[in-house]
Amino acid sequence: GVSVLGARFNAPVEQFLRTDEARRLWAAADSAMARRDAPAATTPLRQLARIQPNVPAVYRRLAQALTLSGAPRAQVRDACLAVLRVNPADATALTALGGMALEEGKTAEAERLLRVAFELAPDDSLAREALARLEEQAGDTAASAAGESLLYRGRIEMARGNTAAGIALLKRAVA
């Protein structure tokens, strides 16, 4: 699955939700995500995206829910592209798309997207970790980059609820 969508997608958006219905849908999705029931979050998030199409955080959260529920990569990509239609300088969406390109072996596209994301948000750990994975895949791996990649993969497994796998990766990263 797409491995660059993290907790950062949980940005507060209540201030942008204009109607009671929008707030209700966000609360339903938020509740489902808190229960680690990402599939249940996708329906209210899709409904919310239809009634408030100009809130990037809604699409970010949808991308996260789709990722965690194992949805087809094309659906996750569409959610990330929707973020960029509203905010072309969204480093989170660029990082997610770069990570997908990297996983698909599209290294030139991955590098372009990840470098832009890193330029927009140089302190962003996800963009930095994805760039480390790109370098690792290209064979330019330093020990620190490999360690960052293991840390990153461990965090993703933990976020997906795969605690044992996540802990194993985290232990390898710090060994």
Side-chain angles (χ1 to χ4, degrees):
V2 180
S3 55
V4 295
L5 302 173
R8 190 169 46 136
F9 276 82
N10 299 328
V13 297
E14 289 81 5
Q15 64 208 16
F16 301 108
L17 302 178
R18 289 182 246 128
T19 67
D20 287 341
E21 176 67 4
R23 287 185 285 279
R24 185 192 66 73
L25 290 167
W26 183 263
D30 198 46
S31 174
M33 293 298 283
R35 294 188 317 270
R36 294 187 175 264
D37 187 2
T42 60
T43 299
L45 287 168
R46 284 186 171 130
Q47 292 171 348
L48 184 54
R50 280 192 291 278
I51 64 173
Q52 288 217 220
N54 295 319
V55 181
V58 171
Y59 296 108
R60 280 192 229 108
R61 192 64 175 264
L62 177 59
Q64 180 188 32
L66 290 167
T67 298
L68 294 174
S69 44
R73 185 179 300 264
Q75 290 180 23
V76 178
R77 183 179 288 109
D78 288 347
C80 291
L81 291 171
V83 172
L84 294 177
R85 279 193 294 279
V86 177
N87 179 12
D90 191 293
T92 302
L94 290 164
T95 300
L97 290 168
M100 284 186 269
L102 180 60
E103 289 177 357
E104 295 168 357
K106 299 174 183 174
T107 54
E109 180 182 349
E111 183 173 10
R112 179 182 60 79
L113 290 164
L114 293 171
R115 295 230 182 267
V116 171
F118 187 73
E119 287 174 20
L120 290 168
D123 294 331
D124 185 313
S125 63
L126 291 176
R128 193 171 51 250
E129 291 168 3
L131 278 171
R133 285 182 37 231
L134 178 67
E135 291 169 5
E136 180 180 340
Q137 198 172 72
D140 299 330
T141 307
S144 62
E148 253 188 56
S149 181
L150 287 172
L151 281 171
Y152 163 74
R153 290 175 27 219
R155 286 192 0 235
I156 294 301
E157 289 303 321
M158 297 289 282
R160 288 183 175 156
N162 300 330
T163 306
I167 289 172
L169 286 165
L170 294 171
K171 284 181 179 178
R172 283 179 45 208
V174 296

